[in-house]
Amino acid sequence: NAGVTQTPKFQVLKTGQSMTLQCAQDMNHEYMSWYRQDPGMGLRLIHYSVGAGITDQGEVPNGYNVSRSTTEDFPLRLLSAAPSQTSVYFCASSPDRVAGYTFGSGTRLTVV
Amino acid sequence: DQQVKQNSPSLSVQEGRISILNCDYTNSMFDYFLWYKKYPAEGPTFLISISSIKDKNEDGRFTVFLNKSAKHLSLHIVPSQPGDSAVYFCAARTTQTGANNLFFGTGTRLTVIP
């Protein structure tokens, strides 16, 4: 049972480039979320999904897109990378709204 | 504006003693609270949670206390073990709306000294 798998683990982008961070879970969880962790800021919610075909914005959605075509996958797209998007990104999933989230191991992104 | 605050960035405790990690929140709509533990280069791991209808929840060595009037919760670890050394995040949410935001504090780094 792999849990939540994030790829890649590390990525360096140039300003203006686009890329997709991948997230997949094999627990049949309905709820999935993307967070970013910055020093002194804790984890902040970017986007979330409560099921296939349903997504919504979190605290810091600007510059990011998501889609949820299947229960398993929840990719995060950076449209035009900026240095302010340098961060560690975590994907998480949960079976319902009150259960604890299961987090992936993170993607460390640097935008130069 | 940080709605969940952990004012102690770090805490050191001797092995076998009690560790107390504190968390304050400002949003009175929050009714569900969680603690996560995070090791370096790993994602946060869910530890324990508490609903606002309770004031205490216990799971083995871990106990979470909630004081709603003070908007304060704490995590007690007894006895502390070296393997507990990690960053601990407090998180809070409201279950009363359709939103799925989980708000995190900035974390407290716990070091348990053997």
Side-chain angles (χ1 to χ4, degrees):
Chain A
N1 193 344
V4 178
T5 302
Q6 290 185 237
T7 55
K9 291 194 182 302
F10 302 94
Q11 183 70 50
V12 179
L13 287 179
K14 293 183 178 178
T15 298
Q17 286 185 314
S18 63
M19 80 158 292
T20 299
L21 307 186
Q22 301 292 343
C23 176
Q25 52 94 6
D26 60 0
M27 298 171 284
N28 202 33
H29 286 175
E30 289 296 326
Y31 287 76
M32 296 187 75
S33 299
W34 276 101
Y35 288 86
R36 58 178 289 175
Q37 183 188 11
D38 301 295
M41 298 291 290
L43 284 85
R44 292 181 294 168
L45 182 66
I46 304 171
H47 285 284
Y48 66 93
S49 169
V50 299
I54 307 170
T55 63
D56 207 344
Q57 297 181 351
E59 278 182 88
V60 288
N62 292 341
Y64 307 95
N65 261 356
V66 292
S67 59
R68 184 96 180 270
S69 56
T70 67
T71 299
E72 295 78 20
D73 300 299
F74 191 43
L76 178 72
R77 279 182 288 278
L78 279 72
L79 309 172
S80 176
S84 60
Q85 294 179 304
T86 293
S87 187
V88 181
Y89 291 84
F90 290 101
C91 179
S93 74
S94 172
D96 55 52
R97 295 182 65 214
V98 294
Y101 272 86
T102 300
F103 280 81
S105 57
T107 295
R108 184 174 293 275
L109 175 69
T110 302
V111 183
V112 298
Chain B
D1 182 29
Q2 198 77 19
Q3 298 188 54
V4 178
K5 300 178 183 178
Q6 294 176 258
N7 293 318
S8 298
S10 63
L11 174 68
S12 290
V13 170
Q14 287 289 135
E15 180 179 4
R17 305 294 291 267
I18 184 172
S19 295
I20 300 176
L21 296 96
N22 294 304
C23 178
D24 298 293
Y25 60 98
T26 58
N27 191 336
S28 57
M29 294 284 288
F30 289 153
D31 57 4
Y32 198 75
F33 305 89
L34 307 93
W35 283 94
Y36 285 83
K37 179 168 75 171
K38 186 182 181 305
Y39 294 117
E42 294 183 12
T45 302
F46 170 69
L47 202 53
I48 192 169
S49 62
I50 187 167
S51 163
S52 60
I53 63 174
K54 294 184 174 182
D55 53 20
K56 176 183 173 181
N57 190 25
E58 196 171 349
D59 184 1
R61 295 186 298 113
F62 302 92
T63 303
V64 57
F65 295 92
L66 175 63
N67 182 334
K68 290 187 291 294
S69 61
K71 294 191 177 67
H72 177 83
L73 62 155
S74 60
L75 175 68
H76 293 211
I77 307 173
V78 183
S80 301
Q81 299 173 355
D84 296 330
S85 296
V87 177
Y88 288 78
F89 290 98
C90 171
R93 74 189 326 158
T94 175
T95 60
Q96 298 172 38
T97 70
N100 201 43
N101 292 30
L102 188 60
F103 292 90
F104 283 82
T106 52
T108 297
R109 182 178 301 279
L110 173 67
T111 303
V112 180
I113 304 163

